[in-house]
Amino acid sequence: MILIKLAISSLYNRRASAFLTLFTIAISVMLLLSIERVRVDAKSSFSNTISGTDLIVGARTGDIQLLLSSVFRIGHANNAVSWQSYQYIKQQRGVKWTIPLSLGDSHKGQAVLGTSADYFQHYKFAKKQSLSFSQGRPFRHLNEVVLGAQVAANLGYTLGDSIVISHGMGNTSFHHHDDNPFTVVGILNATGTPVDKTLHIPLAAIEQIHNTNHTSHEHEHEHEHEHEQHDDLIGEPKQITAFLVGFDSPLYTLQVRRNINQYKPEALLAIMPGVTLRELWEMLTIVEKILLLFSMVVVLVSLLGMLTTLLASLNQRRRELAILRSVGARPWHLFALISIESLLTTFWGCLVGCGLFYLLMSLAAGYLQSHAGITITIAMLSSYELMLIGAIMAAGFIVGLIPATRAYFYSLSDGMSIKI
């Protein structure tokens, strides 16, 4: 107990250097815990890019390719799903809701999605969070568009602006549908998912603007009449890119999935998004390894910094240690004193680091959710995180043994003598 009090007093007398060492350890602990928490929650959030959807159905292709094209708007589907097949599957037992998706158009490099009004009700992300509007409302007419948060922010659109859709994905479009402008009626809140980079229009509008390309301007009055038919935003397109399915009970999922994959009239593929997202994440494990490596390097640097500080201060404390020896302290007392100092510094650094970690996570949670789609869980430290703290404490103690051992072998005469 006396040694602990002496160690605390010694650290207080050298509070400037001790504080810098403690702060370095605290920063490393904060970064380690933050990276670990973000890594775990990023994996969880990635797996929940789309949630609450039991199946994604599209033309037969690879599981990951279907997921990338329908959810992430990456690439494109080589084939489509006929409207007849969609209607047949929609009426199957246990199907609670379906959301048709039609891709292939764009606006200034951003994907345009043709869908139904059910999209805003049933599409969920993260841990079954529903889409919400920062401004406006869902589309109710054929010539209305709802923007993702990033589209509105990057292109500077507000409610009431007019938008022209282009045929083809990416920045290079083959044709601009100038004769079918859309009016912005809603802007979604940020989700951190591909929804933010998407323009949403009624499914029937996709068919309308494509059919208009093949009609002459002499039929413009028919086009205007079509705009007045607000009661049908889905229509009967010949085909769609894919569709989402939700069931009354998860028990239907495997059975219906098997039936779809064995569907005779058309080559279709049904995937469970959660499973496929986990498979996709497995392909990105290098990211996890890099994050873990970065964490270890940060901790190693902080511990080496503590070792350097202790060794540097040890030379300055030779007279202090010699005086302790002269009043009866034994070599193991000096060894224990230096060890306790390093352990206390590491312990306090871990405590401060944990506090900084929770402060950082509280401040960054909203930003990470809206800009990166990572839902941060602000909860007690997990067993693995506690194990990391324990490992840092042990490493700090081991590092402290090096200067403690040197202090042990310092002789009384060496400490009292004056060196020039």
Side-chain angles (χ1 to χ4, degrees):
M1 193 66 183
I2 296 177
L3 283 176
I4 295 177
K5 290 181 179 179
L6 187 61
I8 294 174
S9 299
S10 177
L11 289 173
Y12 180 76
N13 290 332
R14 295 179 293 103
R15 51 186 174 275
S17 60
F19 176 77
L20 288 176
T21 304
L22 184 151
F23 185 72
T24 303
I25 295 174
I27 292 296
S28 68
V29 170
M30 179 194 71
L31 290 176
L32 175 63
L33 293 178
S34 299
I35 291 173
E36 176 60 23
R37 183 64 62 91
V38 169
R39 182 185 71 84
V40 172
D41 288 344
K43 182 176 181 178
S44 175
S45 297
F46 183 84
S47 300
N48 292 312
T49 301
I50 177 173
S51 65
T53 296
D54 296 310
L55 290 178
I56 300 176
V57 182
R60 189 167 298 168
T61 180
D63 291 17
I64 293 178
Q65 183 179 349
L66 175 58
L67 180 75
L68 291 176
S69 62
S70 60
V71 175
F72 291 93
R73 327 285 192 244
I74 298 175
H76 61 277
N78 296 325
N79 297 306
V81 180
S82 69
W83 188 249
Q84 290 77 14
S85 296
Y86 166 71
Q87 292 285 18
Y88 174 78
I89 296 171
K90 179 181 178 180
Q91 296 168 4
Q92 295 301 300
R93 181 186 176 190
V95 174
K96 184 177 183 180
W97 54 264
T98 58
I99 301 174
L101 307 175
S102 182
L103 294 160
D105 294 308
S106 64
H107 175 73
K108 297 184 178 180
Q110 305 298 316
V112 172
L113 173 66
T115 185
S116 66
D118 290 338
Y119 177 88
F120 304 104
Q121 178 182 355
H122 296 298
Y123 189 95
K124 290 180 171 56
F125 65 98
K127 296 179 180 179
K128 296 189 177 181
Q129 295 185 40
S130 299
L131 298 176
S132 59
F133 284 79
S134 62
Q135 300 179 50
R137 55 171 175 78
F139 50 67
R140 296 172 185 165
H141 305 279
L142 290 180
N143 63 333
E144 294 180 342
V145 58
V146 173
L147 307 181
Q150 195 168 333
V151 174
N154 291 349
L155 301 180
Y157 288 137
T158 58
L159 298 182
D161 287 349
S162 183
I163 290 178
V164 173
I165 304 301
S166 304
H167 184 63
M169 298 294 289
N171 292 315
T172 303
S173 299
F174 301 105
H175 182 79
H176 300 292
H177 304 298
D178 300 302
D179 48 356
N180 289 94
F182 288 82
T183 302
V184 178
V185 296
I187 298 175
L188 296 169
N189 281 313
T191 64
T193 70
V195 173
D196 296 346
K197 304 177 182 180
T198 305
L199 296 85
H200 309 83
I201 64 175
L203 182 63
I206 293 285
E207 193 74 8
Q208 172 186 282
I209 59 179
H210 290 167
N211 288 340
T212 305
N213 295 334
H214 304 291
T215 59
S216 65
H217 291 287
E218 296 176 1
H219 296 87
E220 192 169 338
H221 64 281
E222 295 179 4
H223 167 72
E224 293 174 356
H225 175 69
E226 192 172 1
H227 266 287
E228 295 174 1
Q229 298 175 348
H230 304 319
D231 58 334
D232 187 4
L233 300 178
I234 298 178
E236 291 189 11
K238 294 180 181 178
Q239 58 187 19
I240 55 177
T241 305
F243 61 94
L244 312 180
V245 184
F247 296 104
D248 292 315
S249 169
L251 298 176
Y252 291 103
T253 303
L254 293 178
Q255 177 184 350
V256 175
R257 182 187 180 217
R258 183 176 63 251
N259 293 340
I260 293 174
N261 290 336
Q262 297 175 353
Y263 186 60
K264 298 294 183 182
E266 192 174 354
L268 298 178
L269 174 67
I271 63 172
M272 292 185 288
V275 174
T276 309
L277 280 166
R278 284 192 290 272
E279 292 176 356
L280 182 58
W281 182 264
E282 291 301 320
M283 300 172 62
L284 304 174
T285 50
I286 184 65
V287 177
E288 283 192 278
K289 293 178 180 178
I290 291 174
L291 288 175
L292 285 174
L293 178 61
F294 180 73
S295 302
M296 295 300 109
V297 169
V298 168
V299 173
L300 179 61
V301 169
S302 68
L303 291 175
L304 289 176
M306 183 178 75
L307 174 61
T308 302
T309 302
L310 289 174
L311 288 176
S313 65
L314 191 60
N315 284 327
Q316 301 171 1
R317 299 174 63 191
R318 283 182 131 180
R319 187 172 298 277
E320 172 193 339
L321 298 177
I323 293 173
L324 290 175
R325 289 286 304 274
S326 68
V327 295
R330 297 182 177 276
W332 70 265
H333 287 135
L334 304 183
F335 179 89
L337 177 65
I338 303 299
S339 299
I340 291 172
E341 287 182 12
S342 63
L343 191 59
L344 286 175
T345 303
T346 307
F347 175 73
W348 287 333
C350 289
L351 282 183
V352 175
C354 289
L356 292 175
F357 159 69
Y358 280 109
L359 177 62
L360 178 63
M361 289 297 97
S362 299
L363 295 175
Y367 180 85
L368 290 173
Q369 172 65 69
S370 60
H371 289 78
I374 301 175
T375 303
I376 297 297
T377 303
I378 301 178
M380 297 295 292
L381 295 178
S382 65
S383 57
Y384 180 70
E385 290 167 337
L386 289 173
M387 186 180 71
L388 290 177
I389 296 295
I392 294 175
M393 290 286 297
F397 177 73
I398 292 172
V399 166
L401 293 180
I402 298 175
T405 303
R406 292 191 63 179
Y408 180 86
F409 289 107
Y410 279 162
S411 65
L412 179 62
S413 58
D414 179 55
M416 295 297 290
S417 62
I418 300 175
K419 296 183 180 295
I420 300 177

